[in-house]
Amino acid sequence: MKIGLYVCTCGTNITATVDAGKVIDELTAQFPESYAAQVEFICAAEGKEFLKDHLIANRPDRVVVAACSPREYESTFMQILAEAGINPYYLQMVNIREQVAWVTPDPAQATRKATTAIRAAMMRVRYQEPLEKIEQEANGDVLVIGAGPAGLQSALFLAEAGRKVVLVEKTPVIGGMPVLYEELFPTMECGPCLLEPFEAQVLHGDSAHNIELLLLSEVTGVTGYYGNFTATIKQAPRFVGTTCIGCGMCVEACPASAANEFNCGMDEKKAIAMPFLGALPNLPYIDPGSCLRSLGQDCQLCLDACPMPGAVDLEDPGRIVERKVGAIILAIGSKLYDCSKVNGLGYGEIPGVYTSLEFERLASSNGPTAGEIKIPGGSSPASVAIVHCVGSLDPQHQQYCSGICCEYAFKFNRVLEHKLPGTKIHHFYKEMVTAGKSDFVMYEHARKNPDAGFIRYREIEEIQISASASGQKIAYRREDNTVDSIATDMVILCPAMVGSGDAAKLGDMMDLTRGEAGFFDELNGRLHTAQSKVKGIYLAGTCQAPMDIAQATSQAMAAAGYVLSGLAAGKKLVIEPISAFVDEERCSGCRICGGVCPYKAITFKDDTHTSSVNALLCHGCGTCVAACPAGAIQGNHFTNKQILAEIEAILQ
Amino acid sequence: MTAQAMTNVGTPVSESFEPKIVGFLCNWCSYAGADKAGSSQTPYPPNVAVIRVMCSGRVDPQFILDAFHKGADGVMILACHPGDCHYKEGNQRAVQRYRILLGLLEQFGIEKERCKFDYVSAGEGEKFVRVITEMVDTVKGLGPLTLPVRAY
């Protein structure tokens, strides 16, 4: 086998200690069919030209370039091989500058070390195989799950770029959580004012034709991989079609009602109802849990009241659809930590103790009290406690800070100040966090409110809330160890954000891992927070980590960016040849490889009882290759044969 | 007589003994760390011959056994720090395999100090020099490895 060896002198960088002539003499003697050439600067324009011409003239079977670090120039020389008509994977580089000449002052030692390293490369390169990049067609369409701010932002951005988007939302309405908030921090902008125009764009804007919105829908299955996913989506019946004019006659006629989930169960809504005032799309829906007809009774009062033929369809069976997409964006949001798990706060037991979400609805003009902040007896509170850090920064509950609770707690301070001037507000906090260029504003307002007080506690267990005749009594221990108590009419708990319940189901379906708090794991916490650990599945918003709307929508744009860059129109997916593959003849079906693969690139084929690597998902780390007890997996370009040849040459 | 004691019987440690050590370096951190040591031109002993792998998770224990069998006096596996792995967790697999292998090496009569696992990041040129220097010193102290199996 003819190996072309090119030794770069790098000016005097290499030859100051390495005797290139001696290296070449020794190796050409050991490999008599090979040839060697000494080049002064092989990376310079003339050096590269020389290499290319020399390769064309000599047609070696394999090429070894002994020069600087392959981390810097390997791809350059691979390209030259390709230009010379030689498979680029026939190249092996040896680093005789950084790892030999520059660190070995003794010329005899440096020459010996360089000779050993190049010999190992020459032994190894003989086993290198011609590898090719494979291109594969990919679907550019995208599935976005969740129609809150993050999901809407991704969907709209992609639709504007001409992509077909399937937007799946499990509720009958779009806008997510913040559309239920009367005001948003840090500017006190109203939630619907911010989101409704945005929702209108998704429903009826210039790019709306690119978005297929599936409400009351859940993804029930995902198969395939990056570029070629198939999703199964189950859409529950709405019983109301698009010919509905939103007049509300059906709602008036409906005799049944049940707890209103959009108001955290604090009031009731009819079995056929708009989700809430201003909800988009402006269509009522039937809740089968409370509809008399769904419960077996012979009722069709809504249908009878409806002035639009066909708008109410009591026989709507729902449907199951299948959609093919190239990528998936998860924007399913999060939920609040269950406050009843925190002892002593009386959540769920003591009247007048609310979560922050419940308070948002009490303060909203489309909420259960039409925006009047009232306590259970019907009067307005004169004294309100806002407890920060509930279940946060606490090893008993969640160890992290959610980063948004102080912000909205100070927003509540403003809301109370506006709506109920003179109300006493007591902020109980463990730590106070208001990072960001404009977020201190809310905090400053709270500090300047003469009716607001701040009490720092050490552990949440040192706050004990009990019911009293007029409201609640809060007994507490301050951080300075003094104890005290106050009487309040209302308590607002600001709990940690945690992963939503749907995250577990969707995570299992798509092989996504989640941390303890239930948030999806990102590929890298600094560089790739919008990318999940599975290629082609991206994360946007609070399903990845606690964050505010600004961060969630930015991440949504990042997720959409990955899709637009990775699945660009007319671009095929490139399968890098440095990947692993399973020799099915030798595979015993033990599945150890699948367990160690960090990228879920290995699937088990039930019919043949063997594992197989999806080269598109494989990153070529070789962990499975080392793990396979049968030696059935080969790691391309780093095969056992190649590495064992290196070992042998080193130890000659 | 313990396996360890049996190994080095009749092998006087020569002053001029230059051990042969095989070093498996992951491409992303440790190999880059070695390049950093080179860029700062910090000298270190020339006894370690480097084999570049994409990830320390690729280091099959049989490579280590093969190296000892073929005459290595020491073997090193250098990986990304925990949490820094370019492939998320290949370094964890590597260290798990290493720990299991150590027990096996002792049964073969190979002192566990001859096989070293450490973490060197892309910025740790100095640490690379230190780890290499210490390993060379350790193996020099142990003397050449003589395995009964080599006689066959």
Side-chain angles (χ1 to χ4, degrees):
Chain A
M1 182 177 282
K2 182 158 90 175
I3 302 169
L5 166 64
Y6 297 87
V7 180
C8 179
T9 62
C10 196
T12 54
N13 269 323
I14 289 170
T15 39
T17 51
V18 174
D19 183 341
K22 199 172 169 192
V23 171
I24 286 174
D25 287 348
E26 190 174 334
L27 292 167
T28 42
Q30 192 181 343
F31 298 89
E33 290 174 35
S34 302
Y35 69 82
Q38 195 171 314
V39 192
E40 195 177 3
F41 287 108
I42 199 165
C43 64
E46 307 87 72
K48 289 193 280 192
E49 197 61 36
F50 166 82
L51 176 61
K52 185 175 161 186
D53 293 344
H54 204 268
L55 290 172
I56 293 170
N58 290 281
R59 313 290 327 152
D61 299 309
R62 300 288 189 276
V63 181
V64 170
V65 174
C68 55
S69 178
R71 289 173 50 83
E72 209 170 331
Y73 279 107
E74 191 174 45
S75 50
T76 305
F77 298 129
M78 284 175 82
Q79 216 173 314
I80 292 171
L81 258 70
E83 286 168 14
I86 300 171
N87 187 287
Y89 292 88
Y90 278 160
L91 171 78
Q92 183 66 19
M93 257 193 99
V94 194
N95 185 350
I96 57 168
R97 193 180 70 174
E98 283 88 343
Q99 296 190 12
V100 179
W102 278 349
V103 292
T104 319
D106 177 72
Q109 286 184 339
T111 304
R112 198 157 50 237
K113 189 177 178 185
T115 308
T116 304
I118 299 170
R119 182 193 298 120
M122 292 178 84
M123 293 290 274
R124 177 201 212 279
V125 81
R126 295 180 307 155
Y127 297 109
Q128 284 179 208
E129 288 157 21
L131 303 172
E132 304 285 348
K133 288 184 176 170
I134 300 168
E135 291 188 331
Q136 192 174 315
E137 297 287 345
N139 186 328
D141 298 351
V142 187
L143 169 67
V144 177
I145 309 176
L152 292 174
Q153 181 85 314
S154 298
L156 195 57
F157 188 58
L158 287 162
E160 283 170 353
R163 294 309 173 91
K164 295 286 178 199
V165 177
V166 183
L167 178 57
V168 172
E169 165 59 41
K170 74 171 180 175
T171 72
V173 61
I174 61 174
M177 301 302 285
V179 80
L180 295 166
Y181 307 161
E182 185 83 358
E183 280 159 315
L184 304 173
F185 70 77
T187 55
M188 303 302 275
E189 184 175 9
C190 100
C193 303
L194 174 80
L195 290 165
E196 279 175 10
F198 195 21
E199 295 172 24
Q201 280 291 311
V202 170
L203 294 170
H204 310 294
D206 292 343
S207 305
H209 61 281
N210 283 331
I211 301 175
E212 180 189 19
L213 176 63
L214 297 173
L215 293 166
L216 288 164
S217 298
E218 290 187 65
V219 175
T220 55
V222 172
T223 57
Y225 47 86
Y226 183 42
N228 294 286
F229 290 108
T230 302
T232 309
I233 301 149
K234 187 178 174 200
Q235 186 170 35
R238 186 173 192 120
F239 304 103
V240 176
T242 47
T243 55
C244 168
I245 55 168
C247 67
M249 306 274 276
C250 55
V251 182
E252 239 170 84
C254 178
S257 54
N260 181 357
E261 62 185 288
F262 294 98
N263 288 336
C264 307
M266 292 186 290
D267 66 350
E268 293 198 331
K269 71 172 173 50
K270 295 285 185 70
I272 186 165
M274 299 288 181
F276 49 86
L277 188 66
L280 289 177
N282 183 26
L283 292 175
Y285 75 108
I286 291 179
D287 167 21
S290 55
C291 169
L292 298 179
R293 190 181 178 84
S294 303
L295 297 171
Q297 294 184 36
D298 185 22
C299 177
Q300 58 166 51
L301 290 171
C302 53
L303 177 62
D304 296 343
C306 179
M308 296 299 291
V312 175
D313 174 10
L314 296 175
E315 306 307 321
D316 183 354
R319 59 182 179 147
I320 290 172
V321 298
E322 224 180 61
R323 293 289 179 269
K324 293 195 182 302
V325 295
I328 299 171
I329 296 176
L330 284 162
I332 62 167
S334 56
K335 64 177 181 184
L336 297 180
Y337 186 65
D338 180 0
C339 292
S340 63
K341 288 185 181 166
V342 185
N343 293 330
L345 300 182
Y347 180 70
E349 294 160 13
I350 300 170
V353 179
Y354 299 102
T355 65
S356 50
L357 184 57
E358 288 163 347
F359 182 77
E360 293 279 11
R361 295 307 292 146
L362 287 176
S364 291
S365 46
N366 65 0
T369 54
E372 286 184 47
I373 298 168
K374 288 178 179 169
I375 55 176
S379 57
S380 299
S383 170
V384 178
I386 301 178
V387 186
H388 301 224
C389 315
V390 174
S392 301
L393 299 166
D394 189 336
Q396 303 293 317
H397 302 283
Q398 303 298 339
Q399 289 194 293
Y400 52 87
C401 166
S402 295
I404 66 158
C405 333
C406 286
E407 297 276 9
Y408 69 62
F410 298 134
K411 174 183 82 176
F412 294 165
N413 195 107
R414 287 276 277 168
V415 169
L416 287 162
E417 207 181 330
H418 277 168
K419 294 201 174 200
L420 302 170
T423 304
K424 296 283 175 210
I425 305 165
H426 312 274
H427 288 274
F428 286 89
Y429 69 101
K430 188 172 192 175
E431 300 290 347
M432 207 171 286
V433 176
T434 56
K437 70 174 181 182
S438 52
D439 306 67
F440 64 96
V441 177
M442 291 283 114
Y443 173 62
E444 268 195 358
H445 273 292
R447 278 286 182 193
K448 285 179 185 160
N449 179 357
D451 297 314
F454 295 80
I455 301 155
R456 190 171 191 181
Y457 66 87
R458 286 185 308 197
E459 299 300 334
I460 196 88
E461 288 75 24
E462 294 177 341
I463 297 176
Q464 291 293 318
I465 302 177
S466 53
S468 69
S470 58
Q472 308 85 28
K473 182 188 162 203
I474 305 181
Y476 60 91
R477 185 183 294 274
R478 294 187 189 88
E479 60 165 343
D480 65 6
N481 219 18
T482 55
V483 294
D484 210 338
S485 72
I486 52 165
T488 53
D489 307 314
M490 177 185 259
V491 177
I492 307 167
L493 305 176
C494 305
M497 290 166 88
V498 294
S500 96
D502 292 332
K505 203 166 57 184
L506 289 167
D508 289 347
M509 196 184 294
M510 301 181 204
D511 277 338
L512 300 172
T513 53
R514 292 171 307 123
E516 262 179 53
F519 297 106
F520 289 121
D521 290 335
E522 63 285 333
L523 184 64
N524 182 289
R526 277 132 316 270
L527 290 174
H528 296 295
T529 57
Q531 200 169 358
S532 82
K533 292 199 171 189
V534 175
K535 205 169 181 178
I537 301 181
Y538 305 99
L539 308 172
T542 61
C543 63
Q544 183 257 326
M547 63 180 79
D548 64 14
I549 300 169
Q551 290 169 304
T553 50
S554 299
Q555 206 181 22
M557 300 292 271
Y562 278 112
V563 177
L564 294 177
S565 148
L567 300 176
K571 181 177 150 185
K572 290 180 177 173
L573 292 177
V574 175
I575 301 177
E576 290 295 330
I578 299 183
S579 61
F581 81 90
V582 178
D583 177 355
E584 289 194 13
E585 295 274 293
R586 299 178 71 176
C587 175
S588 66
C590 72
R591 306 194 203 192
I592 287 173
C593 53
V596 299
C597 177
Y599 299 99
K600 312 283 181 195
I602 303 179
T603 48
F604 188 73
K605 296 195 281 187
D606 286 320
D607 51 343
T608 54
H609 209 68
T610 53
S611 289
S612 110
V613 178
N614 183 331
L616 196 61
L617 303 182
C618 175
H619 288 230
C621 66
T623 298
C624 62
V625 186
C628 179
I633 310 183
Q634 180 171 306
N636 283 342
H637 211 53
F638 289 87
T639 63
N640 282 7
K641 236 182 185 173
Q642 291 160 7
I643 294 172
L644 291 171
E646 271 186 87
I647 296 172
E648 188 169 355
I650 286 168
L651 297 168
Q652 258 178 24
Chain B
M1 190 184 281
T2 65
Q4 187 172 327
M6 205 159 62
T7 317
N8 289 323
V9 165
T11 336
V13 179
S14 152
E15 276 298 308
S16 60
F17 166 56
E18 287 297 339
K20 281 184 172 179
I21 298 170
V22 178
F24 294 97
L25 272 56
C26 86
N27 180 59
W28 305 96
C29 289
S30 309
Y31 195 91
D35 282 354
K36 286 278 183 329
S39 300
S40 65
Q41 308 204 4
T42 314
Y44 58 86
N47 306 65
V48 180
V50 168
I51 295 180
R52 182 169 68 118
V53 285
M54 294 311 282
C55 179
S56 57
R58 175 66 185 93
V59 181
D60 190 327
Q62 70 158 324
F63 297 160
I64 298 165
L65 294 174
D66 189 70
F68 282 124
H69 179 63
K70 294 214 169 87
D73 301 298
V75 176
M76 305 179 78
I77 308 134
L78 300 181
C80 301
H81 282 271
D84 290 356
C85 178
H86 184 80
Y87 303 102
K88 299 194 278 196
E89 56 201 30
N91 54 352
Q92 285 175 38
R93 304 292 171 199
V95 75
Q96 285 167 343
R97 291 179 192 134
Y98 165 75
R99 286 187 188 132
I100 295 170
L101 183 70
L102 283 187
L104 193 64
L105 289 181
E106 289 199 300
Q107 289 180 35
F108 285 143
I110 301 169
E111 301 90 332
K112 64 179 192 298
E113 292 78 12
R114 291 188 187 271
C115 186
K116 182 169 179 66
F117 184 96
D118 212 330
Y119 303 105
V120 175
S121 79
E124 291 177 328
E126 274 177 55
K127 182 174 178 187
F128 180 80
V129 170
R130 177 162 52 79
V131 170
I132 295 288
T133 309
E134 283 171 6
M135 180 65 175
V136 172
D137 285 347
T138 302
V139 178
K140 275 189 176 173
L142 290 167
L145 175 66
T146 40
L147 284 176
V149 70
R150 285 200 196 134
Y152 297 100

